[in-house]
Amino acid sequence: MKQIKKKILFGEYVSGVGLKKALSKKPDEVVEEVKKSGLRGRGGAGFPTGLKWEFALKEKGDEKYVICNADEGEPGTFKDRKLLMEQPEKVIEGLTIAGYAIGAKQGYIYLRGEYIYILPTLEKTIEQLKKENLLGKNILDSGFDFDIEIRLGAGAYVCGEEFALIESMNGYRGEPRNKPPFPTQKGFRDKPTVVNNVETLCFIPYILSKGAEWFKSFGTEGSTGTKLFSISGDIEHPGVYELELGVTLNEVLELVGARNPKAVQVGGASGICVAKKDFDKPISFQGLPPGGSIIVFGENRDMLKVLKNFLEFFVEESCGQCTPCREGNYRLLEGVEMLEKGECSVRYVRELLTLCDVMKTSSKCGLGQTSPNCFLSILENFKDEIIYR
Ligand code: SF4
């Protein structure tokens, strides 16, 4: 249980210490420290944070932006909400350091529309930090100016994708774009832009104040640090848990009081459904996907209903821009409904599995590339229950 006890985000924190340390360094030194820490984005994709900052820092021009992606919409995920409500000063400090590191004077928090009730907390924190000279003009007498505005989303899941988020902020439909150019080259208002997840930003003040080596003492070599997990489903103790990366699923299940679980969805709806035979595997960027949510299914759950639920979500949330995702999710859901009625042949199920491969390789953004994961993993692990009902 060693990997369960150590905490970062739920540990000690003193506001402004990390920022002060950052301002005592040159921007490229701050970027280097974050690169050395091995921190990878906690929003799902797991891109190295320091590298993303370096790309933006190297872009020419005075006008750059940093955006905190607070559009938490993955089913079963509620860990960013906890950070925004209980530790808003940490989110803002991380965003301010990100701004300093890449040369941005303006930051934004793109807040999920359904989280509008957190808006007053964030606004109050911004005002308070300005009074403490930790935000605004000439921060800590360093000569660095940085301000933050909050933008509200309108409820689309796809706006959690960074380009869709930027398009929404630019005043257009929230739809993903083809890459390149990447947001670090041409993002908000066509200027270099870094988009970081809420949890990712919360680690930044610690990395600056305690150092990259300290951060690397948590987790594993390729998956440094801790991770927040929103854990729900058929368990005794649902909630948000901070665990070291590399923790096994079995350790997690014991901690949350899961009695005889049949399956676990890791990494949210776009993650994978894990069966008992794999509960001893680690959760990390090299193992089971470390997305924000873990949903536990007890022995009496009908896995076809679980699958139908996920697919209904993707059909609803696909932006419809590209055919593999728009039509593919619809066809997968239709297949599940045929299976429910006992009208789906094994041959057609095989065709649907081929369709999943097409969706994964040819969809335009992460939504269509990952939405078949639930179909593939549930079919693979619960074939008898699903096909021969
Ligand atoms: S993959 Fe889906 S969500 Fe992404 S652009 Fe295509 S239709 Fe839209």
Side-chain angles (χ1 to χ4, degrees):
M1 284 286 174
K2 170 190 153 290
Q3 287 171 315
I4 282 179
K5 288 188 185 136
K6 285 163 78 180
K7 307 268 181 257
I8 298 178
L9 299 182
F10 291 166
E12 198 182 309
Y13 164 73
V14 182
S15 173
V17 175
L19 178 59
K20 193 171 177 186
K21 195 74 180 280
L23 295 174
S24 72
K25 293 172 181 269
K26 291 183 190 149
D28 61 337
E29 290 171 344
V30 175
V31 170
E32 200 49 41
E33 194 67 21
V34 176
K35 272 176 76 179
K36 267 196 328 206
S37 75
L39 176 67
R40 294 172 67 157
R42 298 303 200 241
F47 192 81
T49 306
L51 199 56
K52 194 186 261 191
W53 289 14
E54 187 175 59
F55 291 151
L57 174 66
K58 284 185 174 164
E59 288 293 321
K60 292 196 172 47
D62 293 338
E63 202 182 331
K64 297 181 184 179
Y65 297 99
V66 284
I67 301 172
C68 168
N69 184 348
D71 193 50
E72 182 175 54
E74 191 76 35
T77 309
F78 41 88
K79 47 106 186 163
D80 288 346
R81 180 181 66 183
K82 188 171 175 72
L83 290 172
L84 291 161
M85 287 175 78
E86 297 176 9
Q87 309 187 6
E89 65 290 338
K90 213 180 275 181
V91 182
I92 290 166
E93 187 173 340
L95 190 59
T96 309
I97 295 171
Y100 175 72
I102 71 152
K105 290 186 170 53
Q106 183 66 50
Y108 293 89
I109 298 174
Y110 186 90
L111 184 65
R112 181 183 180 190
E114 292 89 336
Y115 285 177
I116 191 168
Y117 58 89
I118 307 177
L119 189 59
T121 305
L122 291 173
E123 286 173 339
K124 210 170 126 197
T125 309
I126 287 172
E127 285 317 304
Q128 182 58 34
L129 291 173
K130 280 183 180 170
K131 279 184 199 149
E132 293 171 17
N133 194 216
L134 294 170
L135 193 62
K137 295 270 176 218
N138 192 22
I139 295 171
L140 294 173
D141 300 323
S142 65
F144 172 56
D145 301 338
F146 187 74
D147 207 348
I148 292 177
E149 279 180 31
I150 301 168
R151 296 284 173 90
L152 275 174
Y157 167 74
V158 76
C159 284
E161 196 273 346
E162 60 183 359
F163 252 138
L165 182 155
I166 287 167
E167 288 295 273
S168 160
M169 282 188 54
N170 279 331
Y172 302 119
R173 272 180 71 155
E175 287 181 339
R177 271 198 234 158
N178 284 326
K179 300 173 193 172
F182 293 94
T184 49
Q185 300 166 298
K186 208 172 170 192
F188 182 51
R189 294 179 178 148
D190 286 343
K191 302 295 178 192
T193 303
V194 160
V195 182
N196 283 142
N197 163 264
V198 171
E199 184 186 340
T200 311
L201 289 169
C202 284
F203 284 113
I204 299 297
Y206 291 98
I207 291 170
L208 268 297
S209 63
K210 301 196 177 196
E213 288 307 316
W214 173 85
F215 184 78
K216 281 163 73 176
S217 69
F218 296 82
T220 67
E221 198 182 331
S223 297
T224 55
T226 57
K227 174 86 194 74
L228 296 192
F229 296 99
S230 321
I231 310 183
S232 61
D234 300 322
I235 54 175
E236 286 176 12
H237 312 294
V240 177
Y241 290 79
E242 181 176 10
L243 307 169
E244 274 190 84
L245 286 168
V247 65
T248 68
L249 193 47
N250 261 333
E251 287 176 302
V252 176
L253 293 171
E254 193 185 328
L255 183 76
V256 301
R259 294 199 187 285
N260 204 10
K262 171 181 180 176
V264 182
Q265 181 75 15
V266 293
S270 52
I272 57 167
C273 192
V274 182
K276 251 186 189 130
K277 64 179 173 48
D278 292 323
F279 285 179
D280 59 343
K281 290 195 172 158
I283 302 173
S284 69
F285 292 105
Q286 295 74 31
L288 300 173
S293 96
I294 293 178
I295 306 172
V296 182
F297 300 107
E299 55 184 337
N300 296 324
R301 291 281 170 180
D302 179 340
M303 295 313 291
L304 191 60
K305 283 206 176 110
V306 169
L307 177 55
K308 188 178 177 188
N309 200 282
F310 285 139
L311 288 171
E312 282 172 342
F313 171 77
F314 287 123
V315 167
E316 177 74 23
E317 295 295 343
S318 166
C319 81
Q321 199 186 160
C322 64
T323 311
C325 171
R326 183 188 62 236
E327 291 301 317
N329 281 305
Y330 175 75
R331 293 292 163 204
L332 294 182
L333 177 60
E334 189 184 58
V336 166
E337 286 166 349
M338 287 163 71
L339 281 163
E340 260 183 341
K341 292 181 206 151
E343 293 172 357
C344 189
S345 67
V346 173
R347 188 172 159 191
Y348 190 61
V349 171
R350 275 197 216 109
E351 281 182 28
L352 291 177
L353 291 173
T354 306
L355 172 64
C356 287
D357 288 339
V358 173
M359 291 168 69
K360 281 171 83 72
T361 50
S362 58
S363 290
K364 192 169 180 177
C365 83
L367 191 154
Q369 289 157 10
T370 58
S371 60
N373 287 345
C374 57
F375 191 90
L376 290 168
S377 55
I378 292 179
L379 252 292
E380 186 189 329
N381 289 318
F382 301 97
K383 195 170 17 175
D384 290 350
E385 177 184 329
I386 291 201
I387 299 181
Y388 309 110
R389 295 165 70 82

